[in-house]
Structure formats: structure tokens, C-alpha cells
Amino acid sequence: MDKSIWKFGTREVVYAAIGAALYGVLSWVTNIFPLPSAGNVSFRPAVAVLALFGVAFGPWVGLLSGLVGNTLGDALTGWGLYWNWSVGNGLMGMIPGLAVSMITAYNKPRDMGIGVGWSLGGALVGMAFASLTEMMVSGIDLNTALVGYLTPAFLGNAVIIIILLPILMIAYNSVAGRLGR
Amino acid sequence: MLVTWKYRPRDTFIQRLDPRTRIIMLACMVVAFTVFWDLRVVLPLAALSFALFGLARIEWRDVKRAVLFISAFAIILVIVNAILGARGAPPSVRADVSPVVWQSPEIVIGSWHWAFRITAARIMFMISQLLRFLGMAFMAIPIPYTLDPELYGATFRQLGVPDKPSYSIDLAFRLVPTLARDFGITIDAQRARGYELDKVKGGLFERIRRLAPIIVPVVIQSIVDGEEIIDAMELRGFGVGKRTWTRHLHYRPVDYAIIAVGLVFAVVCTLMGLLQIAADVWLPPLLLSLAG
């Protein structure tokens, strides 16, 4: 794997902070405005932003955006501090970041497919981590972890990634050249 | 759109503690709660957690929403888990041979018979699980209300997180008011153009896609603005040497005492867990006699 994707310099420090702040604020904003929902599946558009920061700036930026962004969103809404959900969100940003070296143009269907595919993998792994650690933390059954946590969280995030990530990637493509990437 | 932190300065015992002490104590309590199922241990632990929550003296109107939401969520989760089988539970619940306390009328469809049975072990498991869940939540909820957002970066740095990720944490908290303002301006600008965020027409996909006019401008503008922050930091030599922090945290004797107690507590709990002490549900004689 290309080692440069693991670089963590000033650029990564700043974009991790921006990603985290956007993730936290957008999570908070969408708590205020009504959003569509289906059954017990809730939709968090912030997830698409997290995936974009992973896909655009690499795994460290994705990891920190999710990890810090979730903590920040909880600090804004006042829910508390839950390490396993923050780590799960971090993984959800980190895994798309592993695909950063495979992407050459963010507006090409092939590259958008790679971005969406890795982001879906990230959503699955991240939410599975958070849901399955709940078994240890809360002592819930595997069925409850799968039905109550993983399925709604993954489905909701997957829908958001499939719809919004390609739009964000196309928009990002127009500025990517200006960023000296 | 004005973003407001849940944090307020308060002259309380909890807020006088070093933030690192509180993060370490939270971790120790999570370890302790994770080990035990015996109500005789879980109940005092939960009582300690509720007492610490009370000591934080957060105004009820501020914390009401979070407490009610999380409590309702915990109750629903415990009930759903009991119905779905409770196989994540301790041994005596998994291989439940305890007496049945209550049984629903039997449903008969052809040759298929089913009744919901609640056993003594299952009841005690549900009570312990609820207290564990609430105990951990009541340790976690006060953090956003009592930990100064300006201190998150310095706290994690002084807990051993390297300089650069700590600076990302610090910068993220600083960027929040700016980005919240940008979201507010963008929503207003799009509404002025006839954009209807809360329009209910259209399918699910269309309604999610309709969020793009708000998200895209803010995200792309913040990425472009990020270049200015990078330039400013690099011009000041960011990352070439060890950073100094404007806010430096200092432990007081009470912090050392609490951390020492917390760490000893976590180690003892882990050992008890390894030895399977209090790791199973406790069946009170009164409940067993009720079950006959």
C-alpha cells in the first residue's frame, strides 16, 4: 500500500479539524431540522461529509474526523461521551481513506464507484464495531446488536453515502486542483 | 445560526477537578460496569454514578432532554433485548433454569404452542442491565456540560495523545462557531432562492438529495478556506518542533487521589472479572419465593 497515504502533516491536521467540525456541526444542524426517516432507520447526512474527507485526504483525516466529530456532535447535543461510538465513527471515516491512492479524478464514474464502495465498507465496519462492542458494554444480545443497532445505522448511512457522496465528490473535484494535491 | 455549547462555568467540585481526572475516572467506571452483573455490586456502582451526576449540579432544564431520551432508550433496549433472547447475558441467563415468575397466556396455532415466560434470572438480568446502562450514561452525560470546549485539545495532549492529533481536536472545537454560522448563512441564502428544506414532497432519495444545496457549498468552501489556515500555520513553523500550549493543566492533590482510587478500582474490578466474581446475576431469595 502507498505509504504516503499515512502522512500526517499540517495539511492533514487542518483537514482533520475541518472534517471533525463539519461532522459535529452537521450532526447538530440535522437534529434541529426535520429529516426523512423510514421505520427505525434514521439518516445522518454528516456521514457523506465524513466519507468525503476520508476519500479526499486519507485514512488519518477520516479517522480523526469521525472520532473527534462524533465527540464534538455529542458535546453540542449534550448526549455525553461514548468511546465505542466515537471509535466506530472514526473507522467509518478511516476505511474510505484507504482508497485515496486509487482515486485519480473525483468526477469519473469509476473513481466515484471506488469512493462509494470503500465508504460503504467503512460504514459496515464502523457501525459493526460500535454495535458489537455494545454487547460487551451493555450486555445486549447479538440479535439486539444486529437488529437494534447495526442494521438501522448501516442502512441509514449507506443510503446517505450512495446519494450524497458522488455529489460531494463531483463538487470536490472542481477545487481539488487548487489544493496542490 | 448561533451554536451554543452545553458547557457553563460552575464552581462545583466536579468542575474544579482536572479534565484528565474526569476522563480517567469515566474510563475506570466503564471498566467496572462492564465486569459485573451481580445487582449487589451493580447497584452501589450505579448509585456512585448517580451521586457524581448530582455533584455536577447541571441545571435540570439543560440536561432534561438528554436524560429523558437516554433513559427511554435504555428501557426500550432492555425490553427488546429480553424479548430477543438475552444471549449476550451472563451464564445463568443463557442457560436459564431459574423458576418462572410470570407467564403470558399460551398462543396456540395448530400444533405450535408459544408463551412468553419471564424467569427470576431474566428479571434480575434486566434490572442489572438497566442500571449498568444508566450508570455508564450518567457518567458520560455530564462531560459536555462540565468540560470546557477550549480544553479538549490540551486534555488529550496531556493524556499522552501526540501533538498533531491534539491540535486537530483543539482546532475542530475552535472552528465550530464559524462553520455553524456558514451553515446558517447558506440555509438563509438558499431559502431566499426558493429552496424548501422541509418540503415533504418527493421520495426518500429525492428528499435526501435535496440536502445537497446546503451541504455542498459549506463543505467545499471550508475545504478551500482550509488552505489559508494551512498556509498561516506553516508560515509560523507548525510541526517543526515540540508545541507549547496556551492552556496547561495541573493536577491538584485531590486529582491524584481520585486517579489513584479510580485506577486501583479498575484493576480490582478487572481481577474480579477474571476470577468471575459477581460476574453472574444474583437471585434474591424473595424473588425465588415469589416464583414458588
Side-chain angles (χ1 to χ4, degrees):
Chain A
M1 194 167 283
D2 185 358
K3 275 198 170 170
S4 65
I5 70 167
W6 296 103
K7 181 174 175 266
F8 195 72
T10 312
R11 174 172 300 277
E12 286 73 24
V13 168
V14 171
Y15 284 122
I18 293 174
L22 280 170
Y23 190 56
V25 171
L26 195 52
S27 305
W28 171 74
V29 168
T30 50
N31 279 344
I32 300 171
F33 291 97
L35 269 181
S37 65
N40 67 341
V41 180
S42 64
F43 298 99
R44 288 188 305 145
V47 169
V49 177
L50 180 59
L52 175 76
F53 273 74
V55 163
F57 304 111
W60 288 130
V61 172
L63 175 73
L64 276 171
S65 297
L67 193 73
V68 180
N70 189 64
T71 308
L72 215 156
D74 283 345
L76 282 169
T77 43
W79 293 148
L81 184 70
Y82 303 95
W83 70 272
N84 56 331
W85 286 95
S86 290
V87 173
N89 277 281
L91 290 172
M92 194 156 67
M94 184 182 192
I95 289 168
L98 300 174
V100 71
S101 58
M102 299 175 206
I103 296 173
T104 49
Y106 287 86
N107 58 351
K108 278 188 186 165
R110 175 194 158 273
D111 291 2
M112 284 196 276
I114 292 173
V116 169
W118 280 79
S119 301
L120 291 175
L124 183 64
V125 173
M127 292 302 95
F129 176 86
S131 306
L132 298 178
T133 46
E134 276 296 327
M135 287 172 64
M136 183 184 74
V137 175
S138 324
I140 54 168
D141 185 39
L142 179 65
N143 290 338
T144 314
L146 296 179
V147 177
Y149 283 118
L150 179 60
T151 309
F154 173 69
L155 286 181
N157 292 345
V159 169
I160 291 290
I161 287 167
I162 291 167
I163 300 171
L164 290 180
L165 182 60
I167 299 174
L168 280 168
M169 285 179 76
I170 292 170
Y172 173 69
N173 188 64
S174 63
V175 295
R178 280 199 265 160
L179 303 178
R181 185 177 174 273
Chain B
M1 184 185 300
L2 279 178
V3 62
T4 50
W5 296 105
K6 297 292 173 191
Y7 168 77
R8 308 267 178 281
R10 298 175 188 85
D11 186 25
T12 60
F13 169 72
I14 295 287
Q15 279 181 233
R16 281 193 296 271
L17 291 173
D18 188 300
R20 292 169 294 176
T21 308
R22 302 186 43 220
I23 300 285
I24 293 168
M25 201 53 201
L26 173 67
C28 294
M29 285 292 279
V30 169
V31 169
F33 271 115
T34 308
V35 169
F36 302 115
W37 283 105
D38 190 320
L39 190 66
R40 290 167 297 184
V41 181
V42 173
L43 190 60
L45 275 177
L48 175 64
S49 167
F50 297 146
L52 290 170
F53 180 83
L55 273 180
R57 286 169 50 197
I58 306 165
E59 295 75 8
W60 174 243
R61 66 173 183 277
D62 278 1
V63 82
K64 185 172 74 176
R65 192 161 165 251
V67 168
L68 293 180
F69 177 85
I70 288 169
S71 303
F73 181 78
I75 292 167
I76 292 167
L77 187 83
V78 167
I79 293 170
V80 167
N81 190 60
I83 293 168
L84 285 176
R87 278 191 293 273
S92 67
V93 183
R94 288 201 298 271
D96 193 358
V97 289
S98 65
V100 176
V101 177
W102 181 81
Q103 179 174 331
S104 71
E106 201 164 66
I107 299 167
V108 183
I109 303 169
S111 60
W112 184 75
H113 298 250
W114 182 84
F116 182 69
R117 289 181 185 85
I118 188 122
T119 60
R122 189 66 63 89
I123 288 179
M124 293 313 293
F125 167 67
M126 287 170 73
I127 295 170
S128 294
Q129 189 180 35
L130 186 64
L131 283 173
R132 274 170 53 129
F133 197 106
L134 291 179
M136 278 190 259
F138 275 73
M139 284 297 292
I141 292 170
I143 300 281
Y145 297 86
T146 55
L147 208 156
D148 187 346
E150 283 184 20
L151 291 179
Y152 278 83
T155 301
F156 284 98
R157 174 68 194 99
Q158 288 185 250
L159 275 171
V161 174
D163 251 339
K164 285 180 176 172
S166 302
Y167 193 72
S168 287
I169 299 171
D170 200 56
L171 192 57
F173 277 81
R174 284 170 194 273
L175 285 171
V176 163
T178 315
L179 291 178
R181 187 204 59 197
D182 290 352
F183 267 113
I185 291 170
T186 307
I187 290 171
D188 290 345
Q190 299 291 32
R191 277 183 170 157
R193 292 178 176 90
Y195 168 82
E196 291 175 62
L197 181 66
D198 20 29
K199 195 169 146 189
V200 287
K201 269 196 264 173
L204 178 68
F205 281 65
E206 172 55 27
R207 285 161 68 190
I208 293 172
R209 196 197 58 77
R210 219 185 285 139
L211 295 168
I214 291 177
I215 296 173
V216 171
V218 179
V219 170
I220 300 303
Q221 188 58 48
S222 61
I223 289 174
V224 173
D225 290 347
E227 283 296 307
E228 285 177 27
I229 305 175
I230 295 165
D231 289 345
M233 284 167 64
E234 287 188 337
L235 283 168
R236 287 164 177 81
F238 180 84
V240 293
K242 199 171 180 295
R243 274 189 65 77
T244 53
W245 290 72
T246 46
R247 301 288 292 267
H248 200 79
L249 305 170
H250 297 281
Y251 286 125
R252 292 180 305 138
V254 66
D255 292 301
Y256 285 117
I258 290 173
I259 290 172
V261 170
L263 291 177
V264 169
F265 190 58
V267 170
V268 170
C269 290
T270 309
L271 286 175
M272 286 173 77
L274 290 173
L275 298 170
Q276 291 291 300
I277 299 168
D280 207 344
V281 292
W282 169 63
L283 300 176
L286 181 68
L287 189 64
L288 291 175
S289 66
L290 271 177

